Amino acid sequence: MADYDFDVLVIGAGPGGYVAAIRAAQLGLKTACAESRETLGGTCLNVGCIPSKALLHASELFEEASSGALAKFGVKIAGAELDLDQMHAEKAKAVKELTGGIEGLFKKNRVEWLKGRAAFTAADTVDVGGRRVRAKNIVIATGSSVTPLPGVTVDDEVVIDSTGALALPKVPEQLIVIGGGVIGLELGSVWKRLGAKVTVVEYLDQILPGMDGEVRRESAKIFKKQGFVLKTGTKVTKVERNGAQATVTVEPAAGGAAETLTADAVLVAIGRRPNVDGLNLDAAGLTLNNRGQIAVDHDFGTSVPGIWAIGDVTPGPMLAHKAEDEGIAVAENIAGLTGIVNHDVIPGVVYTHPEIAGVGKTEEELAAANVAFKVGKFPFLANSRAKTNRDTDGFVKVIADAQSDRVLGVHIISSLAGTMIAQAAQAMEFGATSEDIAYTCHAHPTHSEAIKEAAMAVTGKPIHM
Ligand code: FAD
Ligand code: NAI
C-alpha cells in the first residue's frame, strides 16, 4: 500500500459514512472513519431518524391511552399520565443502544474510528484531531445540518431547531413550527399528541413540498382534522424572544397585512444544508455546486480522482436510506466492483399518523415532463382491514405509463404507508407493470390489498369499489 495509512478513509460516521466504512472493510480494504461526535451514527441515530421515531411512537401510545380513542374497542383507560422524563429516557436508551451497536460493528469489521474533526491538507491527506492521515481513497460523508432562518437566533430554549424539539423538558402550551415539511409535521405531531396547540407556518401554498399534489392536499385535510393550524402561503418576517415566550410576526407570502402569533416554543424547520465548513476543500482541489453540495458522478466520484462523496452532502433527497445505499455502492466502486444506486426508486416516508409515503414520480412531475400516464386510486374506506381497525384515512395511488403500463410512481397515505411502500419500490425496481401488481396475490385482510386494488384501478377494474 506504498506509504498510505489506509486504502479508504471515510469522513463522517452517519448512515452514509458508517455503511461505506463497513462495506469497504468487508471487501478487504484497510479502512478508517473520522467522526467528530462523541458517538457514531451521525444525524440519523443521534438527533434525527431514531430519536424522532422514538418520540413519535411514545407520543402515539400516550395519545391512544389518554384520549379515550380505545373505548370504542372496549378498552377503557382511566388516569393515563404523561411522564415526559421517562419518555426522553427511553428515547435516549434506544439511541445509546443503536449508536453503541455501530461501534460494535466497527470493531467486528476492523474499521478504525479516528476521533475528531477532519480537514484536508492535500487531495490524499487529512488532519484528524492532530493526526495526519494519508489514504488512497477518501469518502466525504459529512452530512447536513439545520438551515438557519435569516434574522432568527436559535437559543435552544424558546426558539429551537429539530435537536431542541427532540429534547423539550416540558410540553409547550403553544408551539409554532416554521416550515411545513417533514420535520415540522413529524415533531409537530409529537408535541400535539402530548398536549401542545400547534401552528405550522409554511411559505408555499401547500405543506410537504415535493410530494404528489393530491397527497399534499389530503394530508393537509387530515392534519387540520387533527387540530393542527396550518398557515400556508405565509411568511415569517420576525421572531422576537420575550422571556419564556416568543412573538412571531407573519404575513401572507404574496404580501398583505401582518399578524403576530405568540408561543412558548418556536421550531425552525425550513430545511437542511450540506456540512462542508472546516473541511478545507480548497486543499483537496474540490469546489461546490451552486447549492453548496459536492457534485458526484454516477459512481460517487468527485471531480478529484480518489475523492468520493455520498449522502446529504451530495445532491438528491436528504434521507438515511439513500445515504446508506450510496455508502455500499461507493465502497464497491472503490473495490473495483460495480456499485449502483437507482435514484429513480428512493422511497420517502413521513412518519406522522397516518404515515405518508411515496416512491417514483408524482403526477405533477410526469405532467411537466409531458409523459402520458394512467392513474389508479383506492381509498382505505373500502379496504376491509382498515375498516375493521377503524383506520380509514388515506388512499393508495398507482401511476403507470400510458403505453407500457410500467409503474412510474406509487403514493400512499395510511397508518402503515411506511411499511407498505417497500412493496411498491421493489415492484418498480423489477420494472413491474400495474398489471403485475394487480395479478400478485396479496394476503387478506391486509392494508396491502389497497395497493393491489389501486393497481387494478389503473385499468378501471378494482373489485371493492
Ligand atoms: P449525517 O447523518 O449527517 O452524518 C454525518 C456525520 O459526519 C455527522 O455525525 C458529523 O458529526 C460528521 N462530520 C461532519 N463533518 C465532519 C468532519 N469534518 N470531520 C469528522 N466528522 C464530521 N431520514 C430518513 O431517511 N428517515 C427519517 O426518519 C429521518 N428522520 C430525521 C429526523 C430528523 C429530526 C432529522 C434532522 C433528520 C432525519 N432524517 C431522516 C434525515 C437523515 O438523518 C439524514 O438524511 C442522514 O442522517 C444523512 O446521512 P449522512 O451519512 O449523509 O450524514
Ligand atoms: P423540508 O425541506 O422537508 O421542509 C421545509 C419546509 O419549510 C418547506 O415546506 C419549505 O417550503 C418551508 N420553508 C422554507 N423557508 C421557509 C420560511 N422562511 N418560512 C416558512 N416556511 C419555509 O425540510 P425539513 O422539514 O427541515 O427537513 C430537512 C430534511 O430532513 C428533509 O430534506 C428530509 O428529507 C429530512 N428528514 C426526513 C425525515 C423522514 O424521512 N421521515 C424526517 C425528518 C427529516
Side-chain angles (χ1 to χ4, degrees):
M1 205 175 41
D3 50 352
Y4 289 116
D5 300 297
F6 296 98
D7 293 312
V8 182
L9 167 66
V10 182
I11 306 177
Y18 85 71
V19 168
I22 291 173
R23 178 57 117 224
Q26 284 174 344
L27 292 168
L29 300 167
K30 188 178 178 205
T31 306
C33 183
E35 172 57 60
S36 53
R37 257 178 227 277
E38 294 295 306
T39 46
L40 301 174
T43 304
C44 177
L45 273 64
N46 289 283
V47 290
C49 327
I50 297 305
S52 60
K53 267 74 250 179
L55 289 186
L56 278 158
H57 178 65
S59 60
E60 194 170 351
L61 294 179
F62 172 74
E63 190 181 44
E64 239 178 31
S66 61
S67 66
L70 300 181
K72 65 171 178 261
F73 298 108
V75 181
K76 289 191 174 175
I77 301 176
E81 272 179 54
L82 175 64
D83 180 347
L84 187 57
D85 290 343
Q86 176 55 33
M87 207 175 262
H88 282 314
E90 196 59 16
K91 168 201 70 184
K93 202 169 150 205
V95 168
K96 192 163 179 235
E97 282 168 12
L98 288 163
T99 55
I102 307 301
E103 215 175 319
L105 289 172
F106 269 18
K107 284 189 187 128
K108 181 178 159 204
N109 289 285
R110 298 204 181 80
V111 173
E112 188 175 334
W113 174 5
L114 306 178
K115 296 187 183 180
R117 282 199 81 72
F120 282 93
T121 56
D124 61 359
T125 311
V126 162
D127 255 0
V128 191
R131 177 173 167 194
R132 183 150 295 199
V133 180
R134 218 175 145 223
K136 201 167 172 189
N137 296 279
I138 298 178
V139 180
I140 304 173
T142 48
S144 64
S145 26
V146 177
T147 304
L149 182 56
V152 176
T153 310
V154 170
D155 58 33
D156 290 327
E157 288 173 1
V158 176
V159 185
I160 52 177
D161 58 19
S162 58
T163 303
L166 290 167
L168 285 175
K170 69 180 186 44
V171 180
E173 243 173 73
Q174 277 283 355
L175 169 67
I176 293 174
V177 179
I178 306 177
V182 196
I183 292 183
L185 292 163
E186 287 189 1
L187 295 180
S189 291
V190 165
W191 295 106
K192 221 203 125 293
R193 291 168 189 173
L194 299 182
K197 293 193 180 76
V198 180
T199 302
V200 176
V201 182
E202 165 58 49
Y203 186 81
L204 300 175
D205 289 346
Q206 288 286 335
I207 56 170
L208 293 172
M211 298 206 106
D212 181 84
E214 205 174 0
V215 166
R216 294 170 76 183
R217 287 190 293 278
E218 184 64 21
S219 307
K221 270 193 217 154
I222 293 171
F223 289 127
K224 281 184 192 160
K225 205 169 71 183
Q226 290 176 2
F228 276 90
V229 177
L230 299 183
K231 286 187 165 296
T232 49
T234 304
K235 70 178 172 200
V236 171
T237 54
K238 197 163 41 165
V239 177
E240 257 181 336
R241 167 107 187 246
N242 324 300
Q245 290 197 315
T247 309
V248 178
T249 310
V250 299
E251 63 182 50
E259 172 191 2
T260 54
L261 312 166
T262 304
D264 18 28
V266 178
L267 164 58
V268 181
I270 60 162
R272 294 178 63 81
R273 60 178 186 184
N275 285 334
V276 288
D277 288 351
L279 267 177
N280 199 23
L281 294 176
D282 283 352
L286 269 177
T287 49
L288 302 174
N289 70 11
N290 59 4
R291 303 193 58 202
Q293 300 156 322
I294 300 179
V296 286
D297 60 21
H298 187 255
D299 297 332
F300 307 101
T302 67
S303 56
V304 177
I307 305 185
W308 314 73
I310 54 169
D312 280 13
V313 77
T314 63
M318 289 181 161
L319 296 172
H321 41 282
K322 179 247 188 199
E324 284 186 53
D325 284 8
E326 291 180 348
I328 291 175
V330 78
E332 292 180 347
N333 288 327
I334 289 171
L337 307 173
T338 307
I340 295 172
V341 177
N342 180 0
H343 286 102
D344 288 336
V345 183
I346 295 190
V349 180
V350 188
Y351 296 88
T352 46
H353 186 90
E355 294 177 342
I356 304 158
V359 61
K361 300 286 186 227
T362 63
E363 284 199 47
E364 291 73 18
E365 285 169 335
L366 292 170
N370 279 322
V371 176
F373 60 88
K374 304 172 286 182
V375 175
K377 246 183 89 180
F378 192 80
F380 281 94
L381 258 175
N383 171 273
S384 61
R385 185 63 180 276
K387 271 184 98 73
T388 310
N389 290 4
R390 302 296 187 236
D391 176 31
T392 50
D393 276 342
F395 58 80
V396 176
K397 180 197 271 196
V398 173
I399 307 175
D401 185 279
Q403 273 82 46
S404 67
D405 190 36
R406 192 173 167 149
V407 177
L408 301 175
V410 176
H411 305 277
I412 308 175
I413 302 179
S414 158
S415 58
L416 299 179
T419 304
M420 292 168 67
I421 202 70
Q423 168 194 345
Q426 194 159 44
M428 287 174 66
E429 195 62 51
F430 286 14
T433 60
S434 78
E435 189 184 45
D436 291 329
I437 298 179
Y439 282 99
T440 300
C441 189
H442 286 63
H444 175 76
T446 58
H447 288 64
S448 294
E449 286 173 288
I451 297 186
K452 178 187 171 94
E453 292 268 11
M456 292 166 111
V458 170
T459 44
K461 294 196 181 79
I463 296 293
H464 294 95
M465 210 170 57

